[in-house]
Amino acid sequence: EAREALLNFVGERAHAALDESADARERAFRDRAIVTMLALTGARGAELFADPRDEHRNGLRWEDVNLERGIADVFGKTRERQPIPLTDRVIDALERYRAVLDPAGEDWPVFPTRHHSSLTDAAEDTLEAKGWDSEEIETTLEESTSMEILREHGTAPPAISKNGARSLMKRLCDAADIDIDGEYLKPHGGRRGLGSYLYAQDAELAQELLRHESIETTNESYREQNVIE
């Protein structure tokens, strides 16, 4: 119920943003895409967002996503590339978001950060690498946004981090008035909710989509929960 409530909230907000500024529209479409992927793919937060402590986890990239085939390749828990299926609802959210985001390259993260300091640091590093001095960089940052600078110089922005995604989910749950025993719907809650729903229908299907190595892992994770429910 919480997953569906949040999906409905971000969907309505994205629709309302069609008449707002480009920045507000991009934010709303990004938030809907994030929530939709977390709720309906079984992907882990570490597979979609950046982890500063792990150099191999720099966020899902557009080159990893094939919307025509309905597949995304993620760096899984096994530390191997794994395909995850994308439902029509996920594909639609990603297609609409991509049109608004207009990534400058396939190496762009699907979910760039909107953290001001992170974008500024990336822009400064890009200009420094091209030999610009501090005064030139300061002047450019006053005249252009960090994202505009990154686009102009062909540099992909950093992806939103796992902590950033958690903060986003908390803000969205607060805005949607969604409360789960005093907590917000964490990124992993989408995977847990989907797993419970799938397990109630077919344990092997849940194992396949959640990419558990054995059916025993799936049973241990969801059997007791479904009995209680």
Side-chain angles (χ1 to χ4, degrees):
E1 290 177 358
R3 286 165 59 242
E4 281 300 327
L6 190 56
L7 281 166
N8 289 336
F9 173 78
V10 294
E12 292 170 359
R13 203 177 66 153
H15 181 74
L18 290 172
D19 298 324
E20 298 180 11
S21 68
D23 183 71
R25 190 159 57 248
E26 180 186 320
R27 182 189 295 273
F29 277 56
R30 182 200 67 165
D31 293 352
R32 179 176 63 177
I34 287 176
V35 171
T36 303
M37 284 207 76
L38 288 172
L40 301 179
T41 67
R44 301 175 178 89
E47 296 169 340
L48 301 181
F49 315 121
D51 184 349
R53 299 171 300 176
D54 189 335
E55 62 180 7
H56 297 289
R57 297 195 182 280
N58 62 347
L60 184 70
R61 305 278 149 168
W62 284 109
E63 62 191 358
D64 302 323
V65 179
N66 189 320
L67 295 176
E68 291 185 1
R69 293 179 54 211
I71 292 289
D73 288 320
V74 300
F75 188 63
K77 188 176 181 179
T78 60
R79 305 194 69 78
E80 298 176 343
R81 304 299 300 183
Q82 298 176 333
I84 59 172
L86 308 177
T87 64
D88 290 344
R89 194 170 178 182
V90 176
I91 292 171
D92 180 67
L94 287 173
E95 283 180 337
R96 293 173 182 270
Y97 166 54
R98 176 164 184 156
V100 172
L101 175 65
D102 189 24
E106 291 299 300
D107 63 331
W108 267 45
V110 175
F111 304 116
T113 184
R114 296 181 66 92
H115 186 250
H116 179 73
S117 296
S118 298
L119 291 173
T120 300
D121 289 345
E124 290 178 346
D125 290 344
T126 295
L127 297 179
E128 286 178 358
K130 293 182 177 293
W132 291 39
D133 62 37
S134 58
E135 186 175 341
E136 290 174 319
I137 293 174
E138 183 178 352
T139 300
T140 301
L141 285 170
E142 290 175 353
E143 297 174 346
S144 305
T145 67
S146 297
M147 189 66 81
E148 288 172 342
I149 294 171
L150 294 174
R151 282 182 179 276
E152 180 181 349
H153 292 275
T155 302
I160 187 173
S161 68
K162 291 195 304 180
N163 284 339
R166 292 190 189 101
S167 296
L168 171 63
M169 291 294 288
K170 187 177 188 307
R171 292 196 302 271
L172 290 174
C173 285
D174 287 343
D177 197 24
I178 293 173
D179 180 281
I180 306 172
D181 298 327
E183 290 283 351
Y184 66 98
L185 184 60
K186 298 179 177 65
H188 196 70
R191 177 178 168 86
R192 292 289 300 177
L194 179 64
S196 180
Y197 171 76
L198 294 173
Y199 188 84
Q201 301 179 67
D202 186 326
E204 292 184 354
L205 175 62
Q207 177 199 355
E208 179 182 355
L209 292 183
L210 296 177
R211 291 167 284 126
H212 288 157
E213 293 188 7
S214 69
I215 191 66
E216 287 76 15
T217 299
T218 311
N219 287 333
E220 289 174 4
S221 298
Y222 295 101
R223 179 190 290 128
E224 182 177 351
Q225 179 177 334
N226 277 270
V227 167
I228 293 174
E229 292 176 350

